[in-house]
Amino acid sequence: MSDTSWLTEFPQLDRQQLLAIRQTLDGAYRTFSREYGDTIESFFDPLLSFLIGFEKLLLATPWWLMIALLAALAFYASRSWKLAIGVVVAFVFIGLFGMWDDTMRTMSIIIASTLLAVLIGVPVGIWMARSDRVQRWVTPLLDVMQTMPAFVYLIPVVMLLGIGKIPGLIAVVIYAIPPVIRLTNLGIRLVDKEVLEAAEAYGASRWQRLTGVQLPLAMPTIMAGINQTIMMALAMVVIASMIGVKGLGQPVLKSITNQYFTLGLLNGLAIVALAIMFDRISQSYARRAQQHLSGSRHD
């Protein structure tokens, strides 16, 4: 009988070769982290100071004032008393069950990571919309960022920066930024070419067409991307707690390791309340922006 093992066995490097490759790559990264880790860490010092200051501000704000501000924000975005009352009820229960401080810490990291993702993601999305070549290069990178297991992000970040707020923020941003980039690119590309041609005919510069035509028309789509970014950032709360990010994720992680069902359930519900609040506010704002834009067109 003929040997048919070649039909099922894939040729591969032997164990010694694989071990040598892994050791070389690991050694190179360790050397890089030792030589440049302090420099990179000092680069993020202003961001760390902002995170600490913002967290202290949220914790120092009286609970009644914070609830009033969140309810006012919900009503401004949605013009819905039901949503505003729902925000009040949710945060009152969060406070009654002793989760206020952890909720404020989680809000600080979510808001900071979302702002950073928007500041980076919207310009990258605009760049992609203006260049097919850039889109071809960036799209595979976004695919990797969205499909790579979140735990894998933590390995190089922790090796380089240790544990704490900044590594957690970086991991959250990497995981959450693809939607805002993709939908910014999509929103700008979907802007009617005839509208752009009309703006160009009136003598609008490239910058004026971007800020006065493309971004306003693409805003509902961009807001949908920001909404998804917030949801993905909240999904990273528990994973980020593994590298020292304080907030609602740490009690959930503790409940998993110690089998505290009630502790995990309550903190999980607090994360759900935050997710619903951010989701409803961002969606309502996007919907109002779309209605305002449609009304302006008809006028």
Side-chain angles (χ1 to χ4, degrees):
M1 296 179 64
S2 61
D3 184 11
T4 60
S5 61
W6 62 274
L7 293 173
T8 57
E9 293 182 3
F10 193 87
Q12 59 181 357
L13 298 173
D14 61 46
R15 183 171 299 179
Q16 293 299 324
Q17 290 174 317
L18 289 172
L19 182 61
I21 292 173
R22 288 200 295 265
Q23 288 177 340
T24 301
L25 294 175
D26 290 342
Y29 190 78
R30 288 194 193 97
T31 302
F32 175 81
S33 62
R34 290 185 188 126
E35 291 184 1
Y36 301 102
D38 291 339
T39 303
I40 295 173
E41 192 171 351
S42 63
F43 174 78
F44 288 106
D45 283 344
L47 183 58
L48 179 60
S49 299
F50 169 77
L51 279 174
I52 293 174
F54 187 48
E55 181 180 299
K56 288 181 178 178
L57 175 65
L58 293 183
L59 290 172
T61 303
W63 64 268
W64 53 268
L65 179 58
M66 180 58 69
I67 291 177
L69 290 173
L70 292 172
L73 176 63
F75 180 76
Y76 171 77
S78 65
R79 294 295 192 269
S80 170
W81 285 108
K82 291 182 180 180
L83 179 59
I85 293 172
V87 168
V88 172
V89 172
F91 276 86
V92 166
F93 274 100
I94 284 172
L96 288 175
F97 283 97
M99 298 180 291
W100 185 265
D101 287 353
D102 284 339
T103 301
M104 293 300 103
R105 293 189 181 99
T106 298
M107 278 186 60
S108 68
I109 193 73
I110 294 303
I111 293 173
S113 60
T114 301
L115 288 175
L116 187 59
V118 171
L119 289 175
I120 297 173
V122 171
V124 173
I126 293 171
W127 191 24
M128 288 177 64
R130 294 194 167 197
S131 172
D132 291 337
R133 179 179 296 178
V134 172
Q135 181 176 243
R136 285 194 297 269
W137 281 99
V138 175
T139 299
L141 181 61
L142 296 177
D143 293 338
V144 172
M145 292 167 66
Q146 286 189 291
T147 55
M148 182 78 72
F151 289 99
V152 178
Y153 297 144
L154 305 182
I155 299 171
V157 173
V158 171
M159 287 179 64
L160 192 62
L161 300 172
I163 61 174
K165 295 181 182 296
I166 293 299
L169 179 71
I170 293 173
V172 171
V173 170
I174 291 174
Y175 182 76
I177 199 173
V180 70
I181 296 177
R182 289 184 186 276
L183 289 175
T184 298
N185 172 40
L186 177 64
I188 292 177
R189 285 180 178 270
L190 289 177
V191 173
D192 194 343
K193 297 294 188 295
E194 294 181 357
V195 177
L196 289 176
E197 291 173 0
E200 188 175 0
Y202 278 103
S205 65
R206 194 173 185 182
W207 175 255
Q208 289 172 330
R209 293 197 301 273
L210 174 65
T211 57
V213 178
Q214 290 175 300
L215 285 178
L217 292 175
M219 188 54 64
T221 307
I222 296 173
M223 285 301 302
I226 294 173
N227 173 273
Q228 292 303 308
T229 291
I230 295 172
M231 296 301 103
M232 293 181 73
L234 277 165
M236 278 289 289
V237 166
V238 177
I239 296 175
S241 69
M242 298 177 64
I243 55 175
V245 177
K246 294 182 179 180
L248 294 169
Q250 286 192 336
V252 174
L253 186 63
K254 182 180 178 181
S255 69
I256 293 172
T257 56
N258 295 282
Q259 298 182 357
Y260 296 152
F261 171 73
T262 305
L263 178 67
L265 178 63
L266 290 175
N267 284 271
L269 289 174
I271 294 173
V272 171
L274 282 179
I276 292 174
M277 181 189 73
F278 283 124
D279 177 68
R280 295 296 184 271
I281 289 174
S282 58
Q283 282 194 4
S284 298
Y285 183 81
R287 190 159 48 246
R288 284 185 58 222
Q290 180 66 48
Q291 291 172 352
H292 176 74
L293 186 60
S294 299
S296 298
R297 281 181 176 177
H298 290 309
D299 293 341

